[in-house]
Amino acid sequence: MDKVWSLRTLETAWKNVAKHRGAANVDRMSIERFKAQEEQYLAELSEALREGSYEPEAVRRVPIPKGKGATRPLGIPTVKARIVPMALKRVLEPIFEKEFEPISYGFRPERGCKDALQEADGRLKAGAAVVVDADIASDCDAIPRPGLMERLKERVSDGAVLKRAEAFLGQEVRDGLKRWTATTGTPQGAVLSPLLASIYRHPLDREMTEAGYKRVHYADDFVVLCRTRDEAESALARIRSWMNDHGLMLHPEKTQVGNCLEAGPGFECLGYRFEGGRRLVRHKSLKALKDKIRQKTQRTCGKSVERIIADFNLTLRGGFEYFKQARRTTLQPIDGFVRRRLPAVLRKQQKRPG
């Protein structure tokens, strides 16, 4: 625990929190306001953690768009309640990171989406074309806390650290006038949640690796690449059995077995779609890119066309850089979409008819 309340750790955690900014919470403490007196606030936080008197403030819950009119809840903690989990993460991550399997890529140091895609593509080219495409239903919300705490206790003996992790899981949630404390899962959107989820799922990764299955795992999405359908069905049964035994469940609509070299459903992985031997950009990802462009090219935004172009060019470059391994024709609709949006902005600014 002395590493958690160390001023050096808290200062590093604060820099990460400040970099990602974020809205103020129920205490109205913004990033800017905290920054104005950061030395004082960090010293107070360190002292409270050292004495064991710190209690995390309530999390403000807000809905964020998920597509097709649906939303998902996102928790917004106070600035202090972001710094403490970040400090905990910096202390806990090295303990567990060295044990995680190489097939796990989500929210890990020096690993990312492109690494996972490269691994999946390599296995496909090696002939593992029958794929179990799986998704864990309500992953963070469903993790049983007693089981998660047992996983932590296997490697962490400091009771103060365990108590702090448990307090993080038991933060009060506020949604308007409603207040409650969740009894299962880890807080949505919190910096420590992905690490805790990985810790809980690690035994499954290890079991699948020891059984010889070629699995690529990113957060709550994963694929198992097999050579035959029987092998894929066997892998899926094994995964489903582990999930049932550990309080989790596969999403019934997003879990399937398919052959990505034949005509058929194929599978989706991190924004790409693999089917019929082709790598495409999935429809949902194209729509998300269009939505970003649409937001940056609103006719009433008041910016000059030059500024608008400079702004959304960053979005276009980022999108192309990520999806450049897809077939070129997949991204052609984006080109036409941009060419339609810009004249609309000009017409509005110059008050000209179509």
Side-chain angles (χ1 to χ4, degrees), residues 5 20 93 116 125 222 256 263 304:
W5 53 253
H20 292 94
E93 191 172 58
K125 289 175 179 176
F222 59 88
Q256 61 181 351
S304 68

Side-chain angles (χ1 to χ4, degrees), residues 6 58 79 130 193 197 250 304 307 312 317 321 329 343:
S6 160
V79 176
V130 184
S193 290
L250 292 176
S304 68
R307 283 188 63 190
F312 78 67
R317 288 195 189 101
E321 180 64 26
T329 54

Side-chain angles (χ1 to χ4, degrees), residues 210-223:
E210 290 174 352
Y213 291 109
K214 309 301 182 185
R215 188 165 177 256
V216 179
H217 187 179
Y218 193 95
D220 59 347
D221 295 320
F222 59 88
V223 292

